[in-house]
Amino acid sequence: MGQLPSKPRGLPRVHFSTNEERPGAYRTDANDQHDGNLQTSPTIVVSNVEMSVSESRRSSIYSTLDLVPQLENYTSTLPHQRSRGRPSLEALRKTFDTTTGSVSSLVTEEGHEEEPSPQQKAPVRFGWVTGVMIRCMLNIWGVILFLRLSWIVSQAGILLTCLIILMSVTVTSVTALSISAIATNGRVTSGGAYFMISRSLGPEMGGPIGMVFSFANALACALNTIGFAEVVTDLMKEFGVVMVDSVNDLRIVGVITVTVLLVISLAGMEWESKAQYFFFAVLLVTFSNYFVGTFIPPGEEKQAVGVFGYRSDVILTNLKPDWRGAGNNFFQMFAIFFPSAIGILSGANISGDLKDPAVAIPKGTLMAILWTTISYLGIAITVGSCVLRDASGNMTDILMGNITDGCVGLGCKLGWNFTECIESHSCKYGLANNSSNQVLGQVSGLSYLITAGVFAASLSSALGFLVSAPKVFQCLCRDKIYPYIEFFAKGYGKNDEPLRAYLLCYLIAVAFILIGDLNIIAPLISNFFLCSYALINFSCFHASITNSPGWRPLFHYYSKWTALFGAVVSVVLMFLLTWWAAVITFTILLFLFGYINYNKPKVNWGSSVQAGTYNLALSYSASLSGVEDHVKNFRPQCLVLTGPPNQRPALVDFVGSFTKHISLMICGDIITEQDKQTRAADATDWLVKWLNKRKVRSFYTPFSAVSLRAGAQHLLQATGLGKLKPNTLVLGFKTNWRESSPEGIDDYINTIYDTFDSNNGLCILRMMDGLDIFDQFDGEVDNVPVKDNTQQAKTVFQNDQGKKTIDVYWIADDGGLTLLVPYLLTRRKRWHSSKVRVFIVGDEQNMEEGRAEMVALLKRFRLDFNDVIIMTDSEKYPQARNLNRFADSVDPFRLHDEQQEGVSVEELRQTAPWKISDKEFEVFKPKSARIVRLNEIIRRNSQHAALVLVSLPVPHTDCPRVLFMAWMDTLTCGLHCPTVLIRGNQQSVLTFYCQ
């Protein structure tokens, strides 16, 4: 036996530890130490090492062309892109497996991504604190907090005000959970809420909401700018400064303010972020000043305006509501308060400027909601505990002595007589008469800091919306869904700033500032945001109920039912708050939706609408024909050669475990002439009933053919309808191949070859005790009654697997089917607790890099397979006894032509054309040795596993059929658990992209 070929050179050096007690070490079996060549296996140390394209490309142990799994092969899984590093099945079948040569010379390079030049300055990227949490908090702390909160407390009371706050937080929290799930289901680029909705629900829903949401952000910028301008003009009046008149002064201050904010935005995200830091610091000082002020004993001047500090009688009085004014009720107060909660999308809207959106958006948004909720509740409770509803502000109203005759109100108990202003409704101070700005200033230690807080809150919100609107609109323009807006898609600078979109947003804001009155348009803003919340929640719900394998969010703390609840509540609130604004909002959305539905833009984002169409296609398959394939929606649609399904229950249960409610399963029953003699006329009905009774979601398709191969060929081509067509063939392992006729072996192997030639995936299941009681592939008569419908034989796949492992030997990069099947299994209840271990080929010198790269790849795929084991001894020569066992198993099928003198190979071929010549045996000897060695590794590590999946080698066209059969037998022998030989069709079925 010759030595195994060495690995290609040029791989990066690795540092490793030899500490055996560290977790992740790849240990060797004591039985393998007889050769004296084994050393202590190094511990795998995960490190964030990035490998170049040429360095990361390594061949599998099957051949030099067949590559090991690597991250770069999945960077081109977007639509209309081909894998740039993985060979096709045709190349694997037709290129001889040499032991020399470079893999890179045999693989066509396609779809290279442009890498930034080392001299080019990297764009600014923000973390979860600065990029999301602070930004969201600043947008939530808006003008409502300083101008309306105390008045809401006076109307609704402390208890109902807290209820209003908590109701608003419930809607925003549920939406934040949905945002977090969508944002972690793949790489999110710029575009924020629009990007998430459009990539989840498709362009029909994403386009309209992108347009409306961009416009709403621009209006919100104008609204907050006017709020700032009103406070400034009020201060100008106090100091007697008037430029023109009150209305024009507001317009002038507003235009100047939004112009300054535009300059800050145009200066880049760094300057905008620094401005937000300043505003955040001012607000923190403002809040500290307020809460400290609540503990300072008030003097007579403060008591005159209704500030008395923490008093039980003040708290008890302000707990209950006191509705004043026509139309003021609970829902009116809720409508006034709710716009303060619309800032939760501020961080998501700049997703393209975040370092890691999948981490920053969930963490930052939820933390922002937590802290702002605490602050709102704290201010509502404290201001209601310290301030009366009515006060005159007159120092002469203090009571002298204990005379309280005719005194009205709580002030009487506190030594003040505010009766006159209460009865005449002329009180100028107190919760019910002052703006929140004045009340908070009166309670706080330094009143002018509250004014600074108002400025910071309004300016930060205006700046946040001014930045968000162009970012969202730029992404919408780049998708080319609507005509005539592509002009605004252009980006500038290292951060791809949408300068043109900034100017458009500025002009819209200026236009509404010049109007000077947003009372009519303000309800539209809340409705636009509520509509966005409804669609975000519905996106999460819809993606969840489609059961798409592409829906794999890293954020698990969400529920499809809470998402549906958030969607329904948002729609209900739209009509409860302002019904006419809701009607206008939906009218605009329907118009924009109709345009896209009529124009049908050529985009394919792998949306959940496509995944939902797959489910509907089971009943309305014709509607699925117009949907393009997408890697996110790939499902292993299996044609299972079960024969009569009740005779191979293990094979049925195995496939049903990962296809039920997820993908198509067809039980193919190939009926030969001999089978027809014992097949009952109503056998099909009985077998369908058997499947239904077993609760297997599968179609049953009998097919008459002269052989297994002919039947499989026709079933692969003819079964299915439209997109409901098998892409993976599943069959049982031929355990009796040594005793079978040459024609039976040839038929079986040719079926495998035909599967590869038809570009389909393949799974071969082997059970220790076999799959059935007869050999389907030898065409023997089925002596077991097909109608035996009462007995449901239990198989291992119906048991709870507990915490057993699923071992995946991902030897060759087949596109990801080898990983997708065990992932789908773990989604089932019986396999949910099972831990998936991924074994890959590696070198001792490169263990850390190899494992770090594979862990990074699995995390990108969001598969939660973190247990990666490097097989560093896969190239070691196998044990002599195992090699001899393999040689003995093949010996009856060899010609031994070199031992027979005077007889040519051609003459021997005439009598046994299916046997292996000595030359063929020697040519494939190195590969046979690698197969034997891999089996030794599998038996050493996976004896106690619940299931073992091994990458199936792709046979070369010149490989003898019997030899390939011996390879498959060798790979799976000696295991007590079910073993699956699996191979995809070399096309990606996993992606880490969002679109």
Side-chain angles (χ1 to χ4, degrees):
M1 288 289 183
Q3 295 295 325
L4 295 180
S6 60
K7 292 291 179 184
R9 298 179 181 178
L11 294 175
R13 295 182 178 180
V14 204
H15 299 284
F16 56 88
S17 169
T18 58
N19 182 8
E20 289 186 331
E21 300 302 321
R22 298 269 311 265
Y26 182 75
R27 298 179 174 85
T28 56
D29 198 313
N31 295 332
D32 290 346
Q33 296 180 359
H34 67 281
D35 54 8
N37 295 327
L38 297 181
Q39 297 178 356
T40 302
S41 299
T43 296
I44 302 161
V45 182
V46 180
S47 60
N48 296 325
V49 181
E50 295 186 0
M51 304 171 66
S52 68
V53 173
S54 60
E55 290 174 330
S56 63
R57 210 176 263 127
R58 305 180 69 252
S59 63
S60 76
I61 65 173
Y62 291 145
S63 70
T64 56
L65 182 60
D66 207 359
L67 299 180
V68 297
Q70 49 198 0
L71 176 63
E72 65 161 355
N73 290 347
Y74 294 86
T75 58
S76 299
T77 50
L78 294 179
H80 310 299
Q81 294 187 14
R82 294 177 57 190
S83 174
R84 62 182 182 177
R86 189 184 301 121
S88 64
L89 277 174
E90 182 180 5
L92 289 174
R93 295 275 285 128
K94 293 186 177 180
T95 305
F96 188 77
D97 184 15
T98 59
T99 57
T100 59
S102 173
V103 175
S104 59
S105 64
L106 297 172
V107 180
T108 303
E109 294 289 332
E110 297 187 30
H112 285 283
E113 295 178 354
E114 295 183 2
E115 297 183 358
S117 172
Q119 292 81 13
Q120 183 180 355
K121 189 176 180 181
V124 178
R125 294 289 185 260
F126 303 104
W128 71 272
V129 175
T130 58
V132 180
M133 188 185 77
I134 291 179
R135 190 174 302 273
C136 289
M137 291 175 71
L138 288 173
N139 280 268
I140 295 173
W141 286 331
V143 293
I144 300 297
L145 172 65
F146 291 97
L147 299 182
R148 289 292 181 270
L149 185 58
S150 65
W151 178 74
I152 294 175
V153 173
S154 73
Q155 293 280 337
I158 297 175
L159 294 179
L160 289 184
T161 300
C162 291
L163 180 61
I164 289 172
I165 295 173
L166 293 176
M167 286 177 59
S168 302
V169 169
T170 300
V171 176
T172 56
S173 298
V174 170
T175 306
L177 295 177
S178 299
I179 292 172
S180 301
I182 299 173
T184 57
N185 190 53
R187 182 179 296 174
V188 178
T189 58
S190 60
Y194 157 71
F195 185 89
M196 298 177 191
I197 295 173
S198 62
R199 269 54 177 181
S200 295
L201 290 180
E204 294 84 2
M205 297 303 297
I209 199 61
M211 188 73 75
V212 170
F213 190 66
S214 302
F215 187 68
N217 275 272
L219 294 188
C221 173
L223 180 65
N224 283 275
T225 303
I226 288 181
F228 170 79
E230 287 180 351
V231 176
V232 173
T233 53
D234 289 342
L235 288 176
M236 292 170 59
K237 290 178 183 178
E238 291 182 9
F239 291 97
V241 179
V242 177
M243 291 182 286
V244 181
D245 54 52
S246 58
V247 176
N248 288 311
D249 285 358
L250 185 146
R251 293 170 177 168
I252 294 172
V253 173
V255 171
I256 293 175
T257 302
V258 78
T259 303
V260 173
L261 296 179
L262 175 66
V263 172
I264 296 175
S265 301
L266 294 177
M269 290 298 295
E270 292 179 275
W271 286 95
E272 188 268 347
S273 181
K274 291 177 181 178
Q276 297 286 30
Y277 294 156
F278 172 75
F279 292 143
F280 186 71
V282 171
L283 283 171
L284 290 182
V285 173
T286 301
F287 290 142
S288 301
N289 169 60
Y290 166 76
F291 284 111
V292 169
T294 61
F295 292 97
I296 298 177
E300 290 186 355
E301 292 184 359
K302 285 192 174 185
Q303 292 181 4
V305 295
V307 180
F308 286 88
Y310 292 105
R311 299 184 65 94
S312 60
D313 44 6
V314 175
I315 297 174
L316 292 175
T317 302
N318 289 337
L319 281 177
K320 300 178 181 180
D322 182 15
W323 307 113
R324 302 182 183 182
N328 286 337
N329 51 44
F330 178 82
F331 285 104
Q332 181 66 22
M333 296 301 107
F334 183 86
I336 293 172
F337 176 82
F338 186 77
S340 65
I342 63 177
I344 63 169
L345 298 178
S346 300
N349 287 339
I350 63 163
S351 54
D353 297 302
L354 301 176
K355 293 178 182 177
D356 189 354
V359 174
I361 292 176
K363 197 172 183 180
T365 304
L366 293 174
M367 289 299 294
I369 292 175
L370 172 64
W371 292 118
T372 53
T373 301
I374 293 174
S375 63
Y376 270 105
L377 290 173
I379 292 176
I381 293 172
T382 54
V383 76
S385 303
C386 299
V387 186
L388 300 181
R389 281 190 169 95
D390 298 290
S392 64
N394 192 346
M395 296 290 295
T396 61
D397 287 341
I398 189 171
L399 288 173
M400 305 302 296
N402 295 324
I403 301 175
T404 59
D405 295 340
C407 187
V408 177
L410 179 62
C412 303
K413 299 181 180 180
L414 303 176
W416 290 82
N417 187 3
F418 301 133
T419 304
E420 182 179 351
C421 75
I422 291 175
E423 292 180 343
S424 61
H425 303 289
S426 60
C427 295
K428 297 181 180 179
Y429 298 95
L431 294 176
N433 307 291
N434 266 346
S435 68
S436 295
N437 178 28
Q438 293 174 313
V439 172
L440 297 184
Q442 293 163 357
V443 174
S444 62
L446 301 174
S447 60
Y448 60 84
L449 286 180
I450 298 298
T451 303
V454 177
F455 289 168
S458 56
L459 290 177
S460 62
S461 297
L463 181 60
F465 289 119
L466 182 60
V467 171
S468 298
K471 296 280 187 181
V472 175
F473 192 63
Q474 181 190 36
C475 185
L476 174 65
C477 296
R478 285 180 172 174
D479 288 337
K480 301 178 183 179
I481 296 178
Y482 294 107
Y484 313 119
I485 62 174
E486 191 177 348
F487 172 80
F488 298 99
K490 185 174 178 57
Y492 297 86
K494 59 186 179 180
N495 273 67
D496 195 30
E497 296 290 348
L499 301 186
R500 296 175 180 177
Y502 275 130
L503 293 175
L504 177 63
C505 179
Y506 168 77
L507 294 176
I508 295 174
V510 168
F512 283 93
I513 289 172
L514 292 178
I515 293 175
D517 186 3
L518 291 182
N519 291 333
I520 298 178
I521 200 68
L524 275 177
I525 298 175
S526 295
N527 271 269
F528 287 160
F529 279 98
L530 277 172
C531 186
S532 301
Y533 294 168
L535 283 176
I536 288 174
N537 284 300
F538 184 74
S539 299
C540 182
F541 169 75
H542 194 267
S544 299
I545 63 172
T546 56
N547 288 322
S548 173
W551 175 248
R552 304 188 301 274
L554 292 175
F555 184 84
H556 301 295
Y557 303 101
Y558 76 97
S559 169
K560 58 184 177 182
W561 302 117
T562 57
L564 179 62
F565 170 78
V568 173
V569 168
S570 298
V571 173
V572 171
L573 288 176
M574 289 177 65
F575 286 92
L576 285 178
L577 300 186
T578 315
W579 67 266
W580 58 266
V583 172
I584 294 176
T585 302
F586 280 108
T587 302
I588 296 173
L589 288 175
L590 287 175
F591 173 77
L592 296 173
F593 173 83
Y595 174 82
I596 295 180
N597 199 45
Y598 174 78
N599 195 47
K600 296 190 182 302
K602 296 181 180 180
V603 294
N604 181 21
W605 295 324
S607 65
S608 60
V609 171
Q610 295 174 352
T613 305
Y614 179 93
N615 291 336
L616 293 176
L618 296 176
S619 301
Y620 306 98
S621 57
S623 65
L624 195 63
S625 59
V627 179
E628 295 180 15
D629 290 329
H630 194 281
V631 61
K632 279 169 57 179
N633 291 332
F634 173 85
R635 301 166 187 252
Q637 303 186 130
C638 298
L639 171 61
V640 192
L641 300 185
T642 58
N646 63 341
Q647 303 306 314
R648 288 191 162 193
L651 190 58
V652 173
D653 292 338
F654 165 66
V655 180
S657 297
F658 64 85
T659 60
K660 188 174 183 180
H661 300 301
I662 295 176
S663 61
L664 174 68
M665 176 182 175
I666 300 176
C667 292
D669 185 3
I670 301 173
I671 305 173
T672 62
E673 290 295 327
Q674 291 177 320
D675 293 331
K676 290 181 180 179
Q677 299 175 8
T678 58
R679 186 63 60 100
D682 57 348
T684 298
D685 294 335
W686 279 104
L687 290 171
V688 170
K689 291 180 181 178
W690 183 88
L691 289 170
N692 292 335
K693 185 176 181 180
R694 203 172 183 84
K695 297 181 180 180
V696 176
R697 188 180 180 182
S698 173
F699 297 100
Y700 171 70
T701 305
F703 189 86
S704 298
V706 296
S707 65
L708 169 72
R709 180 185 185 186
Q713 285 179 329
H714 288 94
L715 284 174
L716 281 173
Q717 296 179 50
T719 53
L721 183 63
K723 299 299 181 181
L724 292 175
K725 187 174 181 64
N727 55 32
T728 305
L729 180 70
V730 183
L731 62 156
F733 183 77
K734 189 175 181 63
T735 54
N736 64 339
W737 66 276
R738 294 183 182 86
E739 296 80 24
S740 297
S741 63
E743 293 77 15
I745 297 177
D746 217 37
D747 202 26
Y748 183 88
I749 297 298
N750 282 330
T751 302
I752 296 175
Y753 287 10
D754 293 339
T755 304
F756 288 136
D757 292 338
S758 60
N759 204 37
N760 287 302
L762 178 67
C763 290
I764 301 175
L765 174 65
R766 182 172 188 177
M767 305 286 290
M768 178 181 63
D769 298 325
L771 290 169
D772 51 18
I773 60 174
F774 72 101
D775 190 357
Q776 163 83 8
F777 306 113
D778 271 341
E780 296 177 7
V781 177
D782 180 7
N783 295 319
V784 179
V786 174
K787 282 190 176 183
D788 187 6
N789 209 36
T790 58
Q791 297 181 0
Q792 290 280 342
K794 191 172 183 179
T795 66
V796 65
F797 298 103
Q798 293 178 314
N799 298 330
D800 188 355
Q801 303 300 322
K803 295 186 178 180
K804 292 183 180 179
T805 63
I806 300 176
D807 290 350
V808 181
Y809 290 83
W810 202 17
I811 308 302
D813 194 349
D814 62 343
L817 183 65
T818 308
L819 289 182
L820 184 60
V821 169
Y823 165 75
L824 295 177
L825 281 173
T826 57
R827 293 175 62 169
R828 307 296 300 174
K829 183 178 180 181
R830 296 186 179 97
W831 298 83
H832 185 70
S833 300
S834 299
K835 183 178 182 181
V836 179
R837 301 191 300 176
V838 180
F839 293 79
I840 61 173
V841 178
D843 300 325
E844 289 187 354
Q845 294 79 11
N846 303 289
M847 285 183 59
E848 292 179 345
E849 284 83 352
R851 186 175 189 273
E853 182 188 22
M854 179 54 61
V855 170
L857 175 62
L858 297 176
K859 286 185 177 179
R860 290 279 188 92
F861 288 153
R862 311 175 306 282
L863 294 174
D864 294 333
F865 300 167
N866 294 322
D867 198 354
V868 176
I869 301 175
I870 311 296
M871 297 184 293
T872 59
D873 55 351
S874 60
E875 292 189 27
K876 193 175 67 173
Y877 205 74
Q879 299 180 33
R881 68 173 184 271
N882 293 326
L883 275 177
N884 294 334
R885 187 186 300 116
F886 173 82
D888 293 339
S889 67
V890 179
D891 189 76
F893 305 97
R894 292 179 59 183
L895 287 174
H896 296 290
D897 50 284
E898 293 183 1
Q899 300 177 13
Q900 302 183 35
E901 299 180 357
V903 182
S904 64
V905 177
E906 288 73 20
E907 293 176 345
L908 293 173
R909 285 287 192 196
Q910 294 178 359
T911 58
W914 47 274
K915 286 194 174 183
I916 309 168
S917 68
D918 290 345
K919 183 178 180 180
E920 289 174 330
F921 186 80
E922 288 299 322
V923 167
F924 289 100
K925 203 171 187 179
K927 190 165 187 175
S928 299
R930 295 198 293 268
I931 297 293
V932 174
R933 178 55 188 161
L934 180 57
N935 175 254
E936 291 177 351
I937 297 174
I938 295 173
R939 286 189 288 114
R940 182 179 65 211
N941 292 280
S942 304
Q943 283 292 351
H944 303 290
L947 180 68
V948 174
L949 296 97
V950 186
S951 297
L952 176 68
V954 176
H956 188 261
T957 52
D958 294 333
C959 178
R961 271 54 169 171
V962 178
L963 182 59
F964 185 71
M965 189 74 232
W967 287 348
M968 291 192 297
D969 187 21
T970 301
L971 271 176
T972 57
C973 71
L975 293 174
H976 299 289
C977 62
T979 307
V980 180
L981 291 171
I982 184 169
R983 187 75 185 211
N985 66 349
Q986 302 299 110
Q987 297 177 9
S988 295
V989 301
L990 297 171
T991 181
F992 51 83
Y993 284 100
C994 184
Q995 69 184 76

